[in-house]
């Protein structure tokens, strides 16, 4: 009984936490709690005191923090160096792997969501050296093993050999603390001995990742030690000595703060990290602690990112002057794909700077200078403009990440506006210089932004909305903190004076909140993706389908596709626009020369729109073209075709079909092919059969690669029917006819529920015999998904996935049974493929295809 009580809620719990609303709510709740806690903890701290503590920071502590930052990033770099050397030896140069690890962390540390941005950065770099997604996943997994083993060494050592650390502050017996440390160290030693006992691999189903040997494992542990301890020491040396007397406890709080910051999705965990540190250390009301946290942000987050930007900018400038050679050219070739995320990062940083600057008191001496030249209304206006510009820069950063040209134009204009606003709101010349530098860097990066997506650059997805919300909350708290000495009064909203900094902060915060609300509402209402409006099937397409020997070309008439037709109307591609990708169905149809040309045109059109391009259910005909496009080729199954020239119902394999046909003849059933022009009188009856059949299957109509019963679609084809002696239709199938009698096939085959059980088999037998009598060469039985895919250890990762699904997916779909049924006809099997961008894009493309065909996994299971 206890098992039932705990198991059932667990299922509901898993479904609940996977719901999109919950996944968005969790980081928002974490951020709001952190902001509230931070406000309470720093309620008695004044901004003037924080500024004084910032100025009082000693050069020695700053140099130590910079040194520990450098050491930490050395450890981060060695994660990748060691992992790449193990997974793909001799493929990636040492310096490339080191820079990829360090640059990846510097970018993800600023943008947030490190498990996404850090992985994307690594894949962009390593894929240029031939590493596939499986290899990059192995690199990341081994890097994490170094982090975990380093964590075990740090905590185990501190607890075991400094047993009065946590127990001095928490109700933990010293013996328990020492025991926990020894267990952690023992686990680490056991892990290393296990690695030393032989060549080890980590298996997940049919996938295998090589594990390091003992020497490499120890090296990874050392890298983890450098990373973890040095990162914590950056903040440790900046903190007041009386706050961080216990190193073990401080490190525990530090990594707890990092973990909560990642969960919040706030860039760099802004706000959440600070609240956790202050609360955990019991340092509320300490201005010197707040100052230390600000310095830590600059030194450990901003400085490494600025170094990455400077290095990339230098290489970009030299590349445009054609002065890169040798090793420098290799580094630029590897890291050029990082330009968009880096540009997004500096734009995000510029936006944050404008937001925070607008929420802090202005220098009164500089305002005094402005007062001599400008009216108050100018200062008020440009203060508001500066804050709103900062918000828009944060929003536009997403478009830069997606390489959109319009986002680059918008960012350049907004940064120029921010530069002017910085001067006119309070003579913030330091801020203006940073805007000018950002403008120059983005100008160097111009060639990376070429996509012409029709989607607004101010449209956001859920993750970015959450991130910006967290940033706004953090910026708003900074303003509340800066003016905490002022009691709130309603009159503050309408106080327009030269000393009205608090009033300007309130008005700017309200304007920013309203602006973000409008952007978020528009993004959520319009949707994540902008799909191209479908167009009627062009006459040129219908003509090319009629003249095509490939029966699958008829699926282009379903009405859910767009068309790319060659200029001379001799070839076309039918495709769907998912908003993120242009996905073609099947090979291009028509003249081979023009077909190759429009394949490239579709790829180029997708690239201009900032979308991916993929080709679903293609044959070997145009495979060289798809490879030239740089697409990865994944086998997705095989198509069965029966040679009708020698087809009969004789033989044991076709006994069921033979018996079904004989039974239908005895019971007075008649086979008939109704031409498309004569279909109208029986359309209502066909519709009722189709609806009843769908209801009996508890299913829904499919799309894209399969037809649906729509009268406009069905009326394009002749329909084969099986009628009873009373004239009632028992089963039907719409026919796909290839030109020159090359091939015959069908799309929908449905029967009347409650009718004779032999109706479908009888209809199929009659249809194949009719096709043979008409003189058709081939009869296509359609595809068997995942058929013919080898699930072997040395096979590519996709083949292993497909082979595994084919062998073990019978709980969801009888893949093996489908092939076995078609095998009875002694067909010739032809492979079909998916041409898709590789790496992280491939599973996303597969999901989009599933949505196009079945509407998502829920509808697919139905």
């Amino acid at each position: 009984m206890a098992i039932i009580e705990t198991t059932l809620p667990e299922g509901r719990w898993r479904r609940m936490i996977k719901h999109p609303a919950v996944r968005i709510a969790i980081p928002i709740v974490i951020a709001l709690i952190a902001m509230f806690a931070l406000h309470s903890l720093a309620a008695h701290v004044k901004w003037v005191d924080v500024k004084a503590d910032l100025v009082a920071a000693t050069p020695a502590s700053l140099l130590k923090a910079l040194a520990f930052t450098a050491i930490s990033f050395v450890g981060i770099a060695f994660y990748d160096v060691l992992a790449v050397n193990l997974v793909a030896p001799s493929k990636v140069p040492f310096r490339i792997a080191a820079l990829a690890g360090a640059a990846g962390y510097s970018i993800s540390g600023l943008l947030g969501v490190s498990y996404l941005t850090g992985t994307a950065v690594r894949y962009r770099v390593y894929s240029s050296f031939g590493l596939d997604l499986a290899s990059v996943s192995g690199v990341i997994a081994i890097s994490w093993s170094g982090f975990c083993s380093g964590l075990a060494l740090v905590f185990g050592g501190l607890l075991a050999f400094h047993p009065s650390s946590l127990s001095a502050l928490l109700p933990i017996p010293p013996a328990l603390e020492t025991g926990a440390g020894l267990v952690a160290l023992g686990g680490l030693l056991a892990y290393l001995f296990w690695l030393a006992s032989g060549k080890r691999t980590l298996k997940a189903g049919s996938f295998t990742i090589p594990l390091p040997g003992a020497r490499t494992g120890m090296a990874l542990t050392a890298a983890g030690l450098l990373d973890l301890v040095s990162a914590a020491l950056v903040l440790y040396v900046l903190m007041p000595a009386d706050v961080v007397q216990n190193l073990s406890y401080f490190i525990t709080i530090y990594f707890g703060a990092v973990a909560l910051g990642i969960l919040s999705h706030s860039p760099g965990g802004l706000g959440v990290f600070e609240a956790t540190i202050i609360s955990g250390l019991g340092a509320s009301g300490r201005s010197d602690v707040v100052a230390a946290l600000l310095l830590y942000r600059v030194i450990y987050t901003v400085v490494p990112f600025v170094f990455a930007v400077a290095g990339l900018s230098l290489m970009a400038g030299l590349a445009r002057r054609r002065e890169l050679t040798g090793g420098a050219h290799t580094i630029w070739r590897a890291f050029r794909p990082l330009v968009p995320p880096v540009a997004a990062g500096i734009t995000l940083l510029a936006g944050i700077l404008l937001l925070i600057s607008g929420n802090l008191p202005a220098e009164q001496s500089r305002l005094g200078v402005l007062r001599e030249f400008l009216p108050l209304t100018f200062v008020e206006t440009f203060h508001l403009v500066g804050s709103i510009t900062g918000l828009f820069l944060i929003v536009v950063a997403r478009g830069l990440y997606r390489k959109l040209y319009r986002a680059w134009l918008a960012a350049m204009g907004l940064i120029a506006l921010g530069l002017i606003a910085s001067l006119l709101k309070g003579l913030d010349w330091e801020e203006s210089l940073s805007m000018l530098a950002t403008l120059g860097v983005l100008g160097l990066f111009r060639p990376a932004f070429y996509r012409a997506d029709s989607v607004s650059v101010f449209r956001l997805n859920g993750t970015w909305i959450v991130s910006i919300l967290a940033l706004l909350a953090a910026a708003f708290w900074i303003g509340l903190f800066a003016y905490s000495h002022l009691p709130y009064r309603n009159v503050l909203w309408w106080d327009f004076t030269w000393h009205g900094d608090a009033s300007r902060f309130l008005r700017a915060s309200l304007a920013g909140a309203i602006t973000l609300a409008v952007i978020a509402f528009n993004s959520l209402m319009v949707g994540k993706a902008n799909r191209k409006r479908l167009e009627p099937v062009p006459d040129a397409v219908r003509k090319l389908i009629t003249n095509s020997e490939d029966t699958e070309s008829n699926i282009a008439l379903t009405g859910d596709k767009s068309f790319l037709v060659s200029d001379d109307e001799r070839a076309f591609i039918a495709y769907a626009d998912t908003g993120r990708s242009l996905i073609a169905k099947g090979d291009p149809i028509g003249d081979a020369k023009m077909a190759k040309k429009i394949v490239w045109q579709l790829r180029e059109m997708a690239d201009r729109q900032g979308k991916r391009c993929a080709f679903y259910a293609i044959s070997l005909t145009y495979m060289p073209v798809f490879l030239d496009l740089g697409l990865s080729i994944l086998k997705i199954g095989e198509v069965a075709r029966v040679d009708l020239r020698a087809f009969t119902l004789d033989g044991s394999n076709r006994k069921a079909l033979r018996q079904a046909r004989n039974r239908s003849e005895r019971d007075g059933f008649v086979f008939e092919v109704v031409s498309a022009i004569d279909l109208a009188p029986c359309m209502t009856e066909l519709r009722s059969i189709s609806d009843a059949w769908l209801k009996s299957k508890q299913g829904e109509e499919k799309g894209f690669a399969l037809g649906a019963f729509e009268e406009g679609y069905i009326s394009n084809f002749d329909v084969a029917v099986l009628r009873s002696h009373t004239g009632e239709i028992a089963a039907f199938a719409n026919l796909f006819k290839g030109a020159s009698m090359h091939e015959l096939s069908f799309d929908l085959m449905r029967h009347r529920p409650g009718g004779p059980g032999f109706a479908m088999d009888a209809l199929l037998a009659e249809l194949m015999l009719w096709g043979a009598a008409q003189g058709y060469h081939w009869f296509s039985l359609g595809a068997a998904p995942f058929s013919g895919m080898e699930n072997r250890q040395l096979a590519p990762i996709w083949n292993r996935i497909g082979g595994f699904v084919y062998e073990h997916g019978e709980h969801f779909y009888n893949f093996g049974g489908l092939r076995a049924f078609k095998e009875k006809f002694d067909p010739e099997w032809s492979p079909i493929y998916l041409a898709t961008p590789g790496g992280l894009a491939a599973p996303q493309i597969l999901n989009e295809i599933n949505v196009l065909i079945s509407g998502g996994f829920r509808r697919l299971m139905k």
Side-chain angles (χ1 to χ4, degrees):
M1 192 67 181
I3 295 176
I4 295 176
E5 290 175 353
T6 57
T7 301
L8 291 180
E10 182 183 0
R12 297 192 191 101
W13 169 252
R14 288 181 178 177
R15 289 194 297 271
M16 183 180 72
I17 63 175
K18 289 181 179 180
H19 194 279
V22 175
R23 294 172 66 182
I24 291 176
I26 289 174
I28 290 178
V29 169
I30 291 174
L32 290 177
I33 292 174
M35 291 301 106
F36 178 78
L38 191 60
H39 182 64
S40 301
L41 293 170
H44 302 292
V45 179
K46 295 182 179 180
W47 174 240
V48 291
D49 295 332
V50 174
K51 290 176 65 176
D53 289 323
L54 288 172
V55 173
T58 63
S61 64
L62 296 178
L63 288 174
K64 288 179 183 178
L66 287 170
F68 282 126
T69 298
I71 296 171
S72 176
F73 273 82
V74 168
I76 292 168
F78 267 97
Y79 286 148
D80 277 47
V81 169
L82 296 167
V84 168
N85 186 58
L86 179 65
V87 174
S90 305
K91 282 192 174 182
V92 181
F94 175 93
R95 60 183 180 277
I96 299 295
L99 289 173
Y105 188 81
S106 68
I107 294 171
S108 62
L110 185 71
L111 293 180
V113 199
S114 60
Y115 55 88
L116 292 178
T117 51
T119 301
V121 165
R122 285 162 161 173
Y123 180 77
R124 291 184 182 193
V125 173
Y126 295 144
S127 61
S128 64
F129 289 88
L131 271 67
D132 59 12
L133 178 60
S135 299
V136 176
S137 300
V139 169
I140 294 170
I142 292 169
S143 298
W144 273 101
S145 74
F147 174 86
C148 293
S149 57
L151 196 62
L153 179 60
V154 171
F155 277 116
L158 287 173
L159 294 177
F161 300 109
H162 195 274
S164 62
S165 54
L166 290 180
S167 58
L169 298 170
L170 298 177
I172 299 175
L176 179 62
E177 184 180 358
T178 304
L182 292 175
V183 167
L185 292 175
L188 175 61
L189 287 174
Y191 168 71
L192 293 175
F193 275 117
W194 178 69
L195 294 179
S197 62
K199 189 175 182 180
R200 299 292 183 178
T201 57
L202 179 64
K203 292 187 177 181
S206 59
F207 310 114
T208 302
I209 298 173
L211 290 179
R215 179 178 296 180
T216 305
M218 293 175 64
L220 283 165
T221 304
L225 182 67
L226 283 179
D227 170 25
L228 295 168
V229 174
S230 300
L233 289 177
V234 173
L235 181 58
Y236 183 81
V237 298
L238 294 171
M239 280 285 185
D242 61 318
V243 174
V244 290
Q245 297 180 18
N246 189 301
L247 181 62
S248 178
Y249 184 77
F250 173 80
I251 290 177
T252 303
I253 297 301
Y254 176 85
F255 286 109
V258 171
L260 285 176
I262 292 174
L263 287 175
S264 72
H265 289 310
S266 173
L270 186 63
V272 179
F273 175 85
E274 285 78 7
T276 308
I277 290 292
I278 294 174
S279 177
L281 295 178
S284 60
R286 296 284 300 262
S287 61
D288 48 359
V289 171
V290 175
L293 288 167
L294 288 174
L295 289 172
Y296 169 80
R297 280 290 178 188
V298 173
I299 293 173
Y300 195 73
T301 303
V302 177
V303 170
F305 181 77
V306 169
F307 269 97
V309 171
L312 204 58
S313 301
L314 177 62
M315 287 190 290
L318 293 175
R320 294 182 71 171
R321 294 171 60 90
R322 303 182 185 278
E323 295 182 6
L324 287 179
T325 58
H329 179 75
T330 301
I331 294 174
W332 170 242
R333 180 176 61 86
F335 286 89
R336 184 167 50 191
L338 301 192
V339 167
V342 166
I346 61 174
T347 304
L348 181 73
L349 199 59
I352 293 173
L353 182 61
L354 286 172
L355 273 180
I356 294 177
S357 172
N359 290 352
L360 293 175
E363 289 286 343
Q364 289 299 317
S365 60
R366 297 182 183 182
L367 278 179
V369 176
L370 283 179
R371 191 172 184 175
E372 301 295 328
F373 301 97
L374 296 175
L376 177 61
T377 53
F378 265 60
V379 175
E380 295 280 0
T381 299
F382 279 99
H383 183 279
L384 191 63
V385 167
S387 296
I388 300 301
T389 299
L391 175 61
F392 276 121
L393 280 172
I394 295 171
V395 172
V396 166
R398 178 173 181 257
L400 292 173
Y401 194 86
R402 296 167 57 208
K403 309 177 188 177
L404 301 183
Y405 174 65
R406 289 194 299 165
W408 180 84
L409 283 178
M412 294 291 283
L414 288 168
I415 292 170
L417 183 60
L419 188 155
I420 297 171
S422 298
L423 292 173
L424 297 183
K425 73 178 181 181
L427 284 181
D428 291 332
W429 59 267
E430 301 95 340
E431 188 177 299
S432 297
L433 285 177
S434 68
M435 295 295 129
L436 186 62
T438 304
L439 206 61
V441 172
L442 282 183
L444 279 176
F445 290 164
R446 160 65 188 89
F449 306 98
Y450 55 87
R451 290 177 170 172
D453 195 344
S454 58
V455 178
S456 170
V457 296
F458 300 110
R459 187 171 300 160
L460 302 171
N461 61 14
T463 302
W464 277 81
I465 291 174
V466 171
S467 295
I468 295 175
L469 203 60
L471 275 176
L472 275 183
F476 182 68
W477 174 82
I478 289 172
L480 292 177
F481 167 71
Y483 303 108
S484 58
H485 61 287
L486 293 177
Y488 174 78
R489 294 174 292 122
N490 288 334
V491 72
L492 283 174
W493 292 95
W494 314 108
D495 186 14
F496 295 91
T497 66
W498 285 98
H499 297 281
D501 288 324
S503 300
R504 286 189 279 272
F505 150 66
L506 289 174
R507 290 190 290 267
S509 298
L510 178 61
I514 294 173
T515 303
L516 179 60
V518 171
I519 292 172
F521 180 80
N522 178 67
S523 301
L524 295 174
M525 289 299 101
V526 175
K528 299 179 182 178
N530 181 41
R531 296 192 181 191
K532 181 179 178 180
R533 181 174 296 176
L534 297 178
E535 58 196 58
V537 180
D539 291 337
V541 170
R542 293 184 181 274
K543 181 180 178 181
L544 289 167
I545 291 173
T546 302
N547 295 329
S548 173
E549 295 182 347
D550 182 6
T551 55
E552 275 299 300
S553 64
N554 288 275
I555 208 69
L557 303 175
T558 51
D560 59 357
K561 300 176 184 66
S562 297
F563 301 95
L564 178 61
V565 184
S566 64
D567 295 336
D568 60 2
E569 298 187 345
R570 293 169 57 196
F572 80 88
I573 291 175
Y575 68 94
D577 185 348
T578 68
R580 295 185 177 90
S581 309
L582 302 185
I583 302 177
K585 169 59 181 77
D587 291 325
I589 304 300
D591 178 76
K593 183 178 180 180
M594 297 309 301
K596 295 176 183 178
K597 183 176 180 180
I598 60 174
V599 166
W600 275 100
Q601 288 178 358
L602 185 68
R603 173 70 177 84
E604 291 161 354
M605 182 171 69
D607 194 61
R608 288 193 303 270
Q609 296 177 6
K611 299 172 183 175
R612 297 175 293 242
C613 183
F615 297 81
Y616 174 72
I618 57 174
S619 67
L620 293 169
T621 306
Y622 295 100
M623 195 62 67
V625 183
F626 298 128
L627 291 172
D628 287 344
L629 263 60
L631 300 177
S632 298
I633 307 300
L634 310 179
K635 187 175 181 179
I636 57 175
E638 294 179 306
V639 172
R641 289 183 173 87
V642 179
D643 190 343
L644 292 180
R645 293 174 297 182
F647 177 76
T648 70
L649 293 180
D650 298 334
S652 58
N653 282 346
R654 298 168 192 174
K655 179 181 179 180
L657 286 178
R658 187 169 62 249
Q659 290 177 341
R661 181 171 182 262
N662 293 338
R663 176 71 182 276
S664 71
E665 288 181 343
R666 288 198 304 268
D667 291 355
F669 284 85
V670 178
F671 172 78
E672 177 187 0
V673 175
V674 182
S675 65
I677 58 175
D678 298 326
L679 202 56
C682 57
M683 189 66 78
T684 302
E685 185 177 7
L686 296 177
R687 161 67 74 181
S688 67
I689 295 172
S690 177
D691 291 346
W693 183 85
L694 277 174
K695 187 177 181 180
S696 71
K697 299 295 184 182
Q698 296 184 339
E700 298 182 32
E701 294 282 20
K702 302 298 190 286
F704 186 60
L706 298 170
F709 195 97
E710 299 289 345
E711 293 186 10
Y713 171 65
I714 296 296
S715 61
N716 291 300
F717 312 104
D718 295 350
V719 175
V721 300
L722 191 68
R723 295 183 186 273
S724 68
H725 64 280
T726 62
E728 183 181 68
I729 298 176
F732 74 89
N734 65 311
L735 305 184
F736 286 173
K737 296 180 177 181
S740 306
M741 311 293 283
H742 178 73
E743 186 176 72
L744 178 68
S745 186
F746 63 91
D747 181 23
L748 304 181
M749 180 177 279
R750 295 177 178 178
H751 66 91
R752 188 185 299 275
F758 56 78
M760 294 283 270
D761 283 348
L763 178 61
L764 180 58
E766 293 282 9
L767 183 54
M768 295 180 75
L769 290 172
W770 178 85
Q774 292 293 313
Y776 283 96
H777 183 177
W778 296 101
F779 188 88
S780 175
L781 292 169
F786 301 114
S787 171
M789 300 178 69
E790 294 288 350
N791 183 15
R792 298 176 183 270
Q793 183 174 350
L794 299 180
I797 184 171
W798 168 249
N799 287 52
R800 285 183 278 164
I801 293 174
F804 181 83
V805 171
Y806 180 80
E807 293 174 12
H808 305 287
E810 63 273 5
H811 297 295
F812 302 103
Y813 191 86
N814 190 7
F815 296 104
L818 179 63
R819 180 184 172 99
F821 169 76
K822 296 180 179 182
E823 193 67 58
K824 294 179 181 180
F825 295 91
D826 301 318
E828 291 189 13
W829 293 95
S830 303
I832 53 173
Y833 301 91
L834 169 67
T836 174
L840 300 174
Q844 295 168 352
I845 289 287
L846 288 166
N847 180 60
E848 290 176 29
I849 292 172
N850 170 54
V851 172
L852 287 172
I853 295 175
S854 302
F857 284 104
R858 178 183 294 180
R859 288 183 60 188
L860 177 64
M861 292 303 101
K862 290 181 68 178

